[in-house]
Amino acid sequence: MADREKGGFWVGAAAALFYPLAYLSKREYRNFEGIPRTGPVLLVMNHVSHLDPAVDAVFVHQAKRVPRFLAKASLARVPVFGKIMTGAGSIPVARGTSSAGDSLKAAHQALDEGKVIVIYPEGTITKDPEFWPKRTQTGVARLALANDVPVIPCARWGTQEVLNGYSKKFRPLPRKTVTHVVGEPVDLSAYREKAPTPDVLREVTDLLMAEVTTLLADIRGEEPPAKAGRDA
């Protein structure tokens, strides 16, 4: 097995903060070996709780990788947490501003350097009352098509039972189980031959989130609604 990717001081600080948060719940990892131990990876995930980045960071770190998150710029301004997040290599995204393109450039560079990028295409926790993915942004497609790297869907379920971002309920006890399941890399070779038009970007984004939604449905043992993962 590959040695752990080196992280440095800020990754250590993030681990000191995030591991206790992740250990508020029990963990179940399925197809964990699906995360490559070396080389660039674009990990595409759903988003159900404000606890997700901490739990997902530990999940990726236990695969001996250092995650770099594409995260809302507002998180970078949170005292202590924001400093640790950016110090550990996460990339703030100021959506709807002229600097949003700079975030994608930084993500391209990180992939070019062989890093793991974690992206939540919804941009924030889902607005769906049943926690299915919806209202996705197409930045994930831009990254996926511009970089010939493994694009891997991954679903996580259970963090919303610990911290519900909309009801504001924090219920760590009794301990809940948070499940991660890693999918197979998505073959985007046919799309890479096309110009990245808005329609192509939307189609690729929907394809990727459909894969995430399928994994999520498997964890939940439920059928997703017809428009899950769509910009609705």
Side-chain angles (χ1 to χ4, degrees), residues 95-173:
R95 287 194 330 206
T97 71
S98 58
S99 62
D102 293 337
S103 301
L104 284 181
K105 289 179 183 178
H108 289 307
Q109 181 177 347
L111 290 171
D112 190 56
E113 294 172 353
K115 309 300 184 184
V116 176
I117 291 289
V118 179
I119 186 169
Y120 304 128
E122 295 162 275
T124 187
I125 59 175
T126 180
K127 300 296 193 298
D128 184 80
E130 298 299 323
F131 299 101
W132 293 103
K134 64 188 305 184
R135 297 190 186 281
T136 51
Q137 309 294 322
T138 58
V140 63
R142 292 183 184 279
L143 277 176
L145 295 178
N147 297 274
D148 190 9
V149 304
V151 180
I152 300 178
C154 179
R156 170 244 316 102
W157 182 245
T159 47
Q160 78 289 344
E161 296 292 335
V162 182
L163 178 61
N164 187 305
Y166 293 107
S167 69
K168 309 301 181 185
K169 290 181 179 179
F170 177 58
R171 293 190 264 194
L173 297 175

Side-chain angles (χ1 to χ4, degrees), residues 176-187:
K176 317 301 189 296
T177 296
V178 173
T179 301
H180 287 78
V181 57
V182 181
E184 298 300 320
V186 179
D187 183 3

Side-chain angles (χ1 to χ4, degrees), residues 1-26:
M1 183 176 288
D3 293 335
R4 180 176 295 282
E5 181 182 350
K6 298 185 185 303
F9 172 80
W10 287 112
V11 171
L17 176 63
F18 292 160
Y19 268 82
L21 291 174
Y23 286 177
L24 290 172
S25 58
K26 293 176 282 187

Side-chain angles (χ1 to χ4, degrees), residues 4-5 19 29 32 35-37 41 43 45 53-69 115-118 120 154 180 182:
R4 180 176 295 282
E5 181 182 350
Y19 268 82
Y29 297 161
F32 190 45
I35 298 180
R37 286 353 187 215
V41 179
L43 199 63
M45 301 190 69
V55 171
D56 297 341
V58 169
F59 169 68
V60 175
H61 193 251
Q62 294 207 323
K64 298 193 173 183
R65 302 302 305 269
V66 175
R68 274 79 177 177
F69 287 83
K115 309 300 184 184
V116 176
I117 291 289
V118 179
Y120 304 128
C154 179
H180 287 78
V182 181

